[in-house]
Each structure stands twice: as structure tokens, then as C-alpha cells.
Amino acid sequence: MERIDLQSSQRGEDDAPHVFKNGINIHGVLIRPEVVKAFVKYYRPLLESDEDFEQFCDCLTKSLPLTFRLNESGVHTLQLRDELIKKFSFTEPIIVDGHQLQAPHPLPWFPDGLAWVSENITRPMLSKAPELKEFFNWIKVATDLGHVSRQEAVSMIPPLLLDVKNGMVIQLI
């Protein structure tokens, strides 16, 4: 992933930072230069300083943490949660590429421990760490069987706030 360097850029409408001239590679996807230029043209004026824009771009290029939730309508949901706790409470540090990874754990604000996160384990890391292989396989099988949904934590909030119950219909206006 390329670093976004804004030190040489000006606030001009058509000015894109010089590192964008050949596009930018984000998580293995090459973003074409014309798309990057349009992005900068649109978003740069919305932020007050080069530092704000650089922080904004840094956030966009960071890998998201591993998050998933157990399907609450499943018959074995609580058993699966208990299995997660029992099988994957890592007692030894997990090191990948020189970084100590945080063991997956329940999100404290999600009811019944049915949503899990690891702030510094990304999806690509799951396949790199031998210690996480069994956990990765568990997630894949549970996802294929419909017991687990991979979902970002922020997307788990609206249903909690809406307090949706069985039989309710949600209509978007």
C-alpha cells in the first residue's frame, strides 16, 4: 500500500498529490489515476488542512478489524458462542509479521456475547498465522452453514437501536 503524501500538494481544484500520478494500490486493488484525481478534487476542499486530509486518507487505506456476529435466530447460537469462548480463548500471544495480535473477544456492547471482534486481526492475517488456522476454518464453516455473518461492528448498531422483533417489517422511506 502506498503512503499518501500531501506535503507537495496545493489546495487547487485539479491538484492531486504527486504519488497519485500512476494511481494507488489499496489492499491489492489499483485505483486508476483519474478516479484518485476526482476523489481528491471532491474531498480535499471539504477538509480544513492537509493534516486532516492525510488522516482521512490514512483511515480509508487501513484494513478493517475482523468482526462477525452469531446468527441470533439459530437453534444452536448459545452453544456456538460457548464453543467460541472455550476453543478460541488464546492464552499465548499470537505474533504475525512481528505484530502481536489481539485474540478475538465479544463486543462488550452487543447483547449475549453474540458479536466478536479482534481490533488488530485483519482478514489477510487469518490465513498467515498458524495459530489462527483452526479459528479461520471455524469461521468459514460457520459462515457457510449460516451460523455466522461477517459484518462490520458499525453495521451491527442500527438493528440494536431499532429493537427489531420477530414479525416486524422495516420500511425505508
Side-chain angles (χ1 to χ4, degrees), residues 10-11 13 24 55 66-67 73 81 83 87 93 98-99 109 115 118 122 131 134 150 164 170 173:
Q10 300 295 317
R11 260 186 188 254
E13 196 173 271
I24 187 169
Q55 287 176 352
L66 170 70
T67 54
S73 63
R81 180 205 54 203
E83 181 180 345
K87 280 181 111 171
H99 300 292
W109 49 264
S118 181
T122 60
E131 302 91 340
E134 184 181 359
R150 296 184 197 191
V164 178
I170 306 298
I173 299 175

Side-chain angles (χ1 to χ4, degrees), residues 64-67 121-127 136 150-152:
L64 294 170
L66 170 70
T67 54
I121 294 179
T122 60
R123 288 183 187 179
M125 288 179 180
L126 277 175
S127 56
F136 183 46
R150 296 184 197 191
Q151 184 178 29
E152 299 310 321

